[in-house]
C-alpha cells in the first residue's frame, strides 16, 4: 500500500491544524512532500493556560479577517486528530512577501 505520512504536534496546535483553524505551519526545515498528511497529537496533555493563550492568538488572527474562530470542544492526546492536504511549502522569507494574504494569515505566519 501507499506510505503514510504523519506530522506530530502538541495540543492545541494539532487540533487547530486538523480542524482548519491553523492555516499555515512553520518549520525550520523544508520538504519536497506534497499530498495527504495525518496530524498526530502528542502525548503531552495541554495546560489550560496554554489552551487559553493559543485560542486568544487565533481569535485575534481571525478577528483581523472579520471571522469568528470556532474552537474544538476537546484536545485529545496520543491520537490521530485529522487529515490535511499539503499543497505547497515556501520559505518564511517568501511567505512574508505575499501581499495578497489576509491579515490574520500573516499574523499566523509570524
Amino acid at each position: 500500500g501507499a506510505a503514510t505520512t504523519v506530522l506530530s504536534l502538541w495540543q492545541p496546535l494539532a487540533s487547530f491544524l486538523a480542524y482548519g483553524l491553523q492555516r499555515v505551519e512553520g518549520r525550520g526545515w523544508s520538504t519536497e512532500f506534497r499530498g495527504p498528511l495525518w496530524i498526530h497529537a502528542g502525548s503531552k496533555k495541554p495546560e489550560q493556560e496554554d489552551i487559553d493563550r493559543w485560542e486568544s492568538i487565533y481569535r485575534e488572527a481571525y478577528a483581523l479577517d472579520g471571522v469568528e474562530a470556532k474552537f474544538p470542544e476537546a484536545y485529545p492526546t496520543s491520537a490521530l486528530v485529522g487529515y490535511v492536504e499539503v499543497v505547497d511549502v515556501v520559505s518564511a522569507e517568501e511567505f512574508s512577501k505575499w501581499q495578497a494574504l489576509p491579515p490574520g494569515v500573516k499574523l499566523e505566519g509570524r
Side-chain angles (χ1 to χ4, degrees):
T4 301
T5 305
V6 178
L7 177 66
S8 290
L9 297 165
W10 299 119
Q11 287 289 27
L13 295 179
S15 287
F16 284 8
L17 191 59
Y19 279 68
L21 283 165
Q22 183 177 342
R23 299 166 283 190
V24 296
E25 170 62 16
R27 294 276 133 180
W29 42 267
S30 188
T31 181
E32 296 297 317
F33 179 82
R34 306 294 184 277
L37 178 69
W38 284 100
I39 304 302
H40 172 263
S43 62
K44 181 181 173 197
K45 182 173 171 33
E47 300 291 332
Q48 189 60 49
E49 176 182 314
D50 291 329
I51 292 171
D52 293 345
R53 180 173 57 88
W54 282 110
E55 286 184 354
S56 176
I57 290 168
Y58 277 81
R59 197 172 287 110
E60 177 186 349
Y62 272 80
L64 286 173
D65 299 335
V67 177
E68 183 180 342
K70 304 235 185 299
F71 298 100
E73 292 182 17
Y75 296 102
T77 57
S78 299
L80 291 173
V81 294
Y83 191 70
V84 299
E85 184 80 17
V86 176
V87 296
D88 204 359
V89 176
V90 299
S91 69
E93 181 181 357
E94 183 180 345
F95 180 82
S96 70
K97 294 177 183 175
W98 288 1
Q99 298 301 314
L101 291 174
V105 175
K106 286 183 182 181
L107 179 64
E108 277 183 63
R110 289 191 303 157

